[in-house]
Amino acid sequence: LQDRTPVSPTYGCFDRAYWHYRMMDFPCGMSQEFALPLALAWALDLPGNRWFGDPAIREWAIAGIRYAARSAHADGSCDDYYPFERAAGAAAFSLYAALHVAQLLDCTQDPEIAAFLRLRGRWLAHHRESGRLSNHEALIVACLAMLGQVTGSPEWEAPLMERAARLKSWQHAEGWFDEYGGADPGYLSLTIGLLAETDRLRPDLALREPCGRAIAFIARFVHPDGSLGGEYASRGTRNFFPHGFEIAGAWSEAALRINDRALAPLREDRQPCYADDRIVGHHVWSWLRAWAEWRAERPAALPPPEGRTHFPGARLLVDHAPDSHLFVGTARGGAFKLFDDRALVVSDTGPTLATRAGRVAVTHLEGSRLIAAEPGRLVIEGRMAWAKSARLTPAKSVVLRVLMLGIGRFFPDLIRRLLQAVLVTGRKDAPFAFRRTFERVPGGWTVRDDIVPDEGWQGVAMAGISGFQTSTATIMARVWAPDQAQPWLDLTDRVAALHGKEPLVIERRFGSGQ
């Protein structure tokens, strides 16, 4: 991905769409995070690492930091998806990487690099992005702690204390940290890693206890096959960042048990595919750091979980039996994953209706409620909502560029809030009510869906149920994984046979032998 030609004006840039394909009119600042996997490849003497100590790799990693410095705005910020965005996530990820690279390659005293680290750190220390993204806040806390160590300056102490307190205030009593108003185990694994890392560097910040509670929460969502989270959770991600669990392993056996199970997909080559030029760097550096932090002594595995646990704040429910393991998003229309003792039986994100007008109604957008939770029975109901499917067009792109070149550059957070409302948060009800009922049966569950139209079915062109559908913009969701080889359940013919406000009823059984 990197421009590796020293005489190039974009030497060190990792945004190939910008420097090579020239499809973009600004470089993505997040991409400069990719300097960290290079530096780790240079620094770690791990088996089969042909790049260990290679001088070219070292040069390219340093070039990545220098390009981050040279492409930044005058205040130290950078952009991610549109010009003058001043994206906190991109700035935090790339600063976190640059701080680690500078320490690994012993270039913290280089004048250009040192000035850049301070400039970006100052911008992040006082910037407040719209929305609650705890993984971003944890990155900022980690960066401020590292800046204090690298610079020896007291200027980072006050903002560090303030941001650490702010992050801790975003933790729910159930143990999870807020991501756009809900719990996402995938993003939480990154937050846990950053908490564990910062706690080791600055134990006086009292981050260990909240980190331990987050570990206890996430342990409930490591599936029998080692996968984690998914479409039933707040952001729908399949992320797993293992390095922090090894760091926390110094004081938490639970953290090591999580890694022993959750790294199985990576070990067995069935992990989600993160080979995307926007997100590949996040995972590669976490995997490499997990190797560097690996603890030889491992605790015994816990026995299989039993019983039901409901997290009303997270709006998530897990139900374990000897022959089945059910994970449900109660606010997401009952989107669920069902496992037997080791493998995925079915993933289900609920009924979908496509209208002849080109709109899509789904059950899995945030907003449903759990109305019954009895032994062996769950009932979830709500209104279907219109999926968020806005795309850029040439006209929209021109408008956005003109807006950002004008007033947008002075009010980037206003634009961000507007885009979040369009692409991520909020919902618009569709004219359909639904109810999903789970009933335990020997060897598994039956799932019944009842869809009732407000005005009839005449406008519906297509209907079905998908296993892995998401309907909001989440950059780190919708990655490929081998367990997604599950066909679409086409219900179009059944809808075509309905009349008036007659309900659509779908009943299925899942479990042993099904």
Side-chain angles (χ1 to χ4, degrees):
L1 296 173
Q2 187 185 38
D3 182 351
R4 301 178 303 280
T5 303
V7 295
S8 169
T10 53
Y11 176 46
C13 177
F14 286 92
D15 186 351
R16 192 171 175 84
Y18 174 72
W19 71 263
H20 180 62
Y21 297 124
R22 307 189 186 196
M23 298 160 56
M24 297 299 298
D25 52 352
F26 68 96
C28 170
M30 178 75 83
S31 298
Q32 296 315 111
E33 171 205 21
F34 297 170
L36 181 52
L38 283 184
L40 288 165
W42 177 86
L44 296 179
D45 187 11
L46 59 107
N49 179 15
R50 61 181 291 192
W51 309 112
F52 175 61
D54 188 302
I57 298 294
R58 185 179 188 277
E59 286 182 11
W60 295 335
I62 293 174
I65 305 180
R66 294 196 192 283
Y67 188 77
R70 295 167 187 176
S71 60
H73 292 299
D75 59 5
S77 65
C78 63
D79 304 324
D80 199 359
Y81 290 97
Y82 51 91
F84 299 103
E85 178 186 2
R86 290 181 165 84
F93 268 106
S94 53
L95 177 60
Y96 173 87
L99 283 160
H100 277 291
V101 172
Q103 292 178 85
L104 284 168
L105 305 185
D106 194 24
C107 56
T108 57
Q109 301 307 310
D110 178 283
E112 181 182 31
I113 291 173
F116 167 66
L117 297 178
R118 288 181 171 86
L119 183 64
R120 179 152 293 179
R122 287 171 186 143
W123 183 82
L124 276 172
H126 303 292
H127 179 72
R128 302 288 188 275
E129 70 177 333
S130 59
R132 283 190 179 183
L133 288 78
S134 293
N135 72 98
H136 288 184
E137 196 69 13
L139 275 164
I140 293 170
V141 169
C143 287
L144 295 174
M146 284 191 285
L147 279 164
Q149 179 191 50
V150 167
T151 67
S153 169
E155 75 168 290
W156 311 107
E157 280 302 299
L160 172 60
M161 295 295 179
E162 179 189 351
R163 300 306 284 261
R166 186 173 190 244
L167 174 61
K168 286 189 282 187
S169 75
W170 289 358
Q171 185 175 31
H172 193 274
E174 294 169 349
W176 50 275
F177 281 85
D178 200 342
E179 296 289 345
Y180 279 118
D184 185 83
Y187 275 121
L188 182 60
S189 70
L190 176 58
T191 301
I192 286 169
L194 296 161
L195 288 169
E197 182 178 353
T198 308
D199 169 70
R200 182 168 64 181
L201 185 63
R202 290 292 303 270
D204 58 302
L205 295 176
L207 297 175
R208 182 168 299 184
E209 188 273 337
C211 185
R213 288 195 286 126
I215 289 169
F217 175 83
I218 203 173
R220 300 281 189 168
F221 296 94
V222 183
H223 305 144
D225 67 348
S227 61
L228 181 79
E231 297 79 14
Y232 62 83
S234 168
R235 308 299 295 131
T237 73
R238 297 285 296 269
N239 294 334
F240 182 65
F241 295 89
H243 68 285
F245 294 87
E246 289 302 306
I247 295 172
W251 47 268
S252 170
E253 286 190 347
L256 298 181
R257 290 191 178 101
I258 289 170
N259 256 4
D260 286 343
R261 177 181 289 183
L263 286 174
L266 188 65
R267 183 170 59 247
E268 298 165 9
D269 195 27
R270 52 183 177 82
Q271 76 277 10
C273 177
Y274 300 112
D276 177 305
D277 60 4
R278 287 274 178 172
I279 65 174
V280 63
H282 301 334
H283 298 276
V284 174
W285 63 250
S286 183
W287 294 341
L288 288 168
R289 293 196 61 209
W291 184 90
E293 300 283 355
W294 193 258
R295 297 181 178 276
E297 296 295 323
R298 316 299 291 185
L302 288 175
E306 296 182 1
R308 176 182 293 176
T309 306
H310 179 210
F311 297 94
R315 303 179 294 280
L316 298 172
L317 183 147
V318 295
D319 190 296
H320 298 286
D323 51 6
S324 68
H325 305 272
L326 180 68
F327 299 80
V328 183
T330 61
R332 296 195 164 262
F336 71 93
K337 291 183 184 292
L338 178 66
F339 295 80
D340 60 19
D341 62 348
R342 65 178 188 85
L344 179 68
V345 174
V346 64
S347 181
D348 186 301
T349 47
T352 295
L353 306 174
T355 71
R356 291 186 172 86
R359 304 186 78 181
V360 175
V362 298
T363 60
H364 59 256
L365 281 185
E366 193 87 13
S368 62
R369 62 191 183 278
L370 179 67
I371 63 168
E374 305 158 4
R377 184 172 181 266
L378 301 169
V379 182
I380 294 163
E381 67 176 25
R383 301 285 302 177
M384 297 185 79
W386 296 118
K388 293 177 177 292
S389 57
R391 297 286 186 273
L392 271 179
T393 64
K396 289 179 182 178
S397 186
V398 169
V399 169
L400 180 59
R401 291 296 191 270
V402 170
L403 184 63
M404 294 311 299
L405 290 169
I407 63 171
R409 68 169 69 198
F410 304 108
F411 305 100
D413 274 353
L414 172 61
I415 305 301
R416 178 180 172 84
R417 282 195 296 272
L418 293 173
L419 289 174
Q420 284 173 338
V422 171
L423 300 173
V424 182
T425 61
R427 55 170 281 150
K428 291 185 177 179
D429 286 348
F432 303 92
F434 74 88
R435 171 177 287 198
R436 169 163 278 189
T437 304
F438 296 84
E439 296 272 2
R440 186 187 294 283
V441 295
W445 293 81
T446 62
V447 179
R448 173 179 168 134
D449 288 297
D450 293 79
I451 310 293
V452 180
D454 292 353
E455 302 168 357
W457 298 100
Q458 61 274 8
V460 176
M462 185 177 179
I465 295 177
S466 172
F468 304 91
Q469 188 176 350
T470 58
S471 300
T472 61
T474 302
I475 300 309
M476 298 186 74
R478 300 183 71 176
V479 296
W480 158 255
D483 63 12
Q484 291 173 347
Q486 178 182 311
W488 159 265
L489 177 59
D490 194 341
L491 303 170
T492 305
D493 289 346
R494 294 178 62 175
V495 169
L498 297 173
H499 302 283
K501 296 183 180 182
E502 185 180 357
L504 171 65
V505 179
I506 314 110
E507 188 163 346
R508 297 163 293 156
R509 177 171 175 167
F510 303 107
S512 301
Q514 300 302 310

